[in-house]
Amino acid sequence: MSNIDLRLMMRELEKLKAERGDRDNGSGGGHTGGNPPGGNELEARVAALEATLPEIKEKLNLILVKVDSIDKHTATKADLANTELSMLKWCVGTAIAMTGLACAITFGLTKLFTGS
């Protein structure tokens, strides 16, 4: 780091300290001597949060009910595997049946046209 960069950083640090003024007690950490963030309105903010708790709980209960209904109607991996296996069986069975039907029709037409 060059001297110019260091001097620039020191100037910026002095500006920030000057902006803070008497708010900083000098003990470091960027706090204001034990006062809570938000100043004296902390109790009002907490009261407002406590007032909205019933509404938040109601919305959370609605969300939980929706999640439960989604869980009841959602397929598991085992369900999907069983469905896939069932579909595969039907496809193979249908292919075999169509092949047998085609062979029977061919055999019947051959007998009909050859006259034997």
Side-chain angles (χ1 to χ4, degrees):
M1 196 183 270
S2 70
N3 284 340
I4 296 171
D5 292 341
L6 187 57
R7 278 189 244 143
L8 182 62
M9 287 177 58
M10 291 301 287
R11 265 190 252 137
E12 290 297 319
L13 181 62
E14 292 300 322
K15 270 195 231 176
L16 287 173
K17 283 183 180 179
E19 287 175 9
R20 277 191 185 168
D22 60 329
R23 290 184 303 164
D24 194 4
N25 64 359
S27 62
H31 53 80
T32 57
N35 292 329
N40 296 331
E41 302 101 29
L42 184 62
E43 288 182 20
R45 291 170 52 198
V46 170
L49 286 173
E50 288 174 346
T52 59
L53 274 179
E55 182 183 341
I56 292 170
K57 286 181 181 179
E58 183 180 328
K59 287 182 180 181
L60 182 60
N61 284 333
L62 289 173
I63 291 170
L64 290 175
V65 167
K66 285 184 181 184
V67 168
D68 286 342
S69 81
I70 289 171
D71 284 343
K72 288 179 188 175
H73 300 293
T74 303
T76 62
K77 280 187 177 183
D79 293 337
L80 293 175
N82 287 338
T83 303
E84 181 182 10
L85 183 61
S86 177
M87 287 175 62
L88 182 63
K89 286 179 186 177
W90 273 98
C91 287
V92 169
T94 303
I96 290 172
M98 288 176 67
T99 302
L101 184 61
C103 289
I105 291 173
T106 303
F107 180 74
L109 289 176
T110 304
K111 286 284 191 181
L112 182 67
F113 290 127
T114 57
S116 34

